[in-house]
Amino acid sequence: VAGRKHLDESVLGTGIPFLGHGQHARFLKELHQISQRVAGVRRFGAASLDLAYVAAGRMDGFWERDLKPWDMAAGLLMIQEAGGKVTDMDGGEDMLTKGSICTANLELHPLMLDKLKAAG
């Protein structure tokens, strides 16, 4: 995983809810909380690719809701093996059941999670 320690120098990835799925208002609140504090936010369109990029250190972190287990399973294992932190959006270890994920290195993860929780 990447070694950055401050949100303001980090590039994060996320997924944007599409028409008829997801919680658009909640996502916009989360994006607002994060985008003001980071160097950039990217959307590539495939959570599995985003998670692989976090594991490879190409992206500093990632968050998304309303995912299926197959979107996350391989990626969360890669990130854990690369030394990163992976939780659900509540900070727990129930990503595959809850369908939400927040991941980064050990320094950035709690900072991201705090901002995402502040979004309500």
Side-chain angles (χ1 to χ4, degrees):
V1 293
R4 290 185 181 83
K5 298 182 185 207
H6 305 284
L7 281 176
D8 64 355
E9 52 190 37
S10 301
V11 175
L12 306 180
T14 189
I16 300 171
F18 55 94
L19 184 62
H21 297 280
Q23 303 170 40
H24 296 271
R26 185 178 206 170
F27 169 76
L28 291 174
K29 288 178 185 177
E30 291 172 354
L31 183 62
H32 180 74
Q33 282 292 323
I34 293 288
S35 65
Q36 298 181 74
R37 293 163 176 87
V38 299
V41 177
R42 304 286 183 266
R43 178 193 183 266
F44 293 110
S48 55
L49 176 62
D50 293 319
L51 296 172
Y53 278 3
V54 172
R58 293 182 180 155
M59 218 165 23
D60 299 298
F62 176 78
W63 88 95
E64 189 171 356
R65 295 181 184 276
D66 300 317
L67 293 170
K68 300 295 184 192
W70 52 84
D71 295 322
M72 299 179 280
L76 68 89
L77 178 61
M78 287 189 290
I79 292 167
Q80 290 169 337
E81 292 294 320
K85 177 82 173 172
V86 182
T87 67
D88 59 38
M89 296 290 275
D90 296 317
E93 297 182 6
D94 202 11
M95 295 80 62
L96 299 179
T97 303
K98 289 186 176 180
S100 70
I101 192 167
C102 177
T103 184
N105 65 31
L106 298 177
E107 291 82 15
L108 292 178
H109 184 271
L111 303 174
M112 282 178 62
L113 204 54
D114 284 346
K115 299 305 173 201
L116 292 167
K117 286 181 178 180

